[in-house]
Amino acid sequence: TQLLEQSPQFLSIQEGENLTVYCNSSSVFSSLQWYRQEPGEGPVLLVTVVTGGEVKKLKRLTFQFGDARKDSSLHITAAQPGDTGLYLCAGAGANSKLTFGKGITLSVRP
Amino acid sequence: DAGVIQSPRHEVTEMGQEVTLRCKPISGHDYLFWYRQTMMRGLELLIYFNNNVPIDDSGMPEDRFSAKMPNASFSTLKIQPSEPRDSAVYFCASSYFRTGELFFGEGSRLTVL
C-alpha cells in the first residue's frame, strides 16, 4: 500500500501570513495532484505535477514536486480567508491508482 | 456540462435499511470512481469502473456493499443492510484517464442511526 502523509493536519493562521504544507511518502509517484475541498462540496483539482523538481504556480499558491518524486509541498503567500479549506494530495503510483492523503485543514482568519 | 451529479445529497436511515446512492458522471468520461470520506480515514477508494465494467472493487468494505454501472451515464452504490459505521460522505468522481484529473460530485452524506 502506498501511503501519503500530509502535515500539518490542522493549521490556523491570520490573513496575510505565509505558510507551507507537506505531502510525503516513501513511494515514488509518476504524478501528484493537489485538490482543495470546501465544506459541503467535492474536491477540486488545483494542479498536477509530473516531473521531479517541478514547480508550478497558481496565483499565490506554489507547488513543488520533490526531486525523487516521493514528496510535494504547497506554499501559500499572503493567505486570504478564501484559501480556507481542506487540501488533499493524491499520488499516482505503480498500481496505477490514485492514493489520497488524509488532508490538511487550513483556516485563515480575517 | 453540469458536472458529476449525485443523489441524494443527504440520507438519514435506520440500521438495517437498504441505501442506494446514485451518480451521473460527466459525459465522455470513461472512468467512474466511488469514494467514501470520513474524518478518521480520509478519502477511501471503494470501487472504480472503466467503460461501465468494474475493474477494482478491493476497497469495498464487505459484502453489504455493491455497485453497478448499467450504462455510461448512471451508476449506483448500494448498502444492504446499512450499519451505523457506514455513516460517511460518499463521493462519485469521473475522469478521462485512470490517474487523470478527477471530477467529483458534491457527495451524498449518509447517516445511519
Side-chain angles (χ1 to χ4, degrees), chain B residues 30-66:
Chain B
D30 291 334
Y31 289 87
L32 183 140
F33 304 81
W34 282 100
Y35 283 88
R36 177 172 67 177
Q37 186 176 41
T38 61
M39 288 288 291
M40 288 295 294
R41 302 170 72 97
L43 261 177
E44 300 175 278
L45 177 63
L46 300 177
I47 185 172
Y48 78 93
F49 296 82
N50 178 215
N51 292 324
N52 313 337
V53 176
I55 302 300
D56 186 343
D57 65 354
S58 59
M60 296 285 260
E62 46 198 275
D63 291 345
R64 298 184 296 106
F65 286 68
S66 62

Side-chain angles (χ1 to χ4, degrees), chain A residues 10 31 33 35 37 40-45 86 88 92-93 96-98 100-102, chain B residues 9 35 37 39-43 45 48 56 58 91 98-102 104-106:
Chain A
F10 300 96
S31 65
Q33 302 172 2
Y35 290 80
Q37 183 179 14
E41 299 182 8
V44 175
L45 181 71
L86 178 68
L88 295 157
S96 296
K97 289 195 293 190
L98 274 179
F100 278 86
K102 289 187 179 180
Chain B
R9 289 296 313 277
Y35 283 88
Q37 186 176 41
M39 288 288 291
M40 288 295 294
R41 302 170 72 97
L43 261 177
L45 177 63
Y48 78 93
D56 186 343
S58 59
F91 285 100
R98 184 166 45 192
T99 56
E101 176 181 2
L102 292 176
F104 286 84
E106 292 184 310

Side-chain angles (χ1 to χ4, degrees), chain B residues 3-8 19-34 47-54 66-78 92-94 108:
Chain B
V4 175
I5 299 172
Q6 291 187 245
S7 65
V19 174
T20 299
L21 308 178
R22 298 171 179 80
C23 175
K24 176 178 167 52
I26 292 173
S27 177
H29 282 186
D30 291 334
Y31 289 87
L32 183 140
F33 304 81
W34 282 100
I47 185 172
Y48 78 93
F49 296 82
N50 178 215
N51 292 324
N52 313 337
V53 176
S66 62
K68 293 182 180 180
M69 192 166 185
N71 57 62
S73 59
F74 184 66
S75 177
T76 59
L77 178 68
K78 187 175 292 187
C92 175
S94 68
S108 295

Side-chain angles (χ1 to χ4, degrees), chain A residues 4-11 21-23 34-35 37 85-89 100-106, chain B residues 37 39 41-43:
Chain A
L4 274 168
E5 295 197 5
Q6 294 191 247
S7 61
Q9 211 173 342
F10 300 96
L11 190 56
V21 296
Y22 302 92
C23 174
W34 282 92
Y35 290 80
Q37 183 179 14
L86 178 68
Y87 289 80
L88 295 157
C89 64
F100 278 86
K102 289 187 179 180
I104 295 160
T105 299
L106 172 65
Chain B
Q37 186 176 41
M39 288 288 291
R41 302 170 72 97
L43 261 177

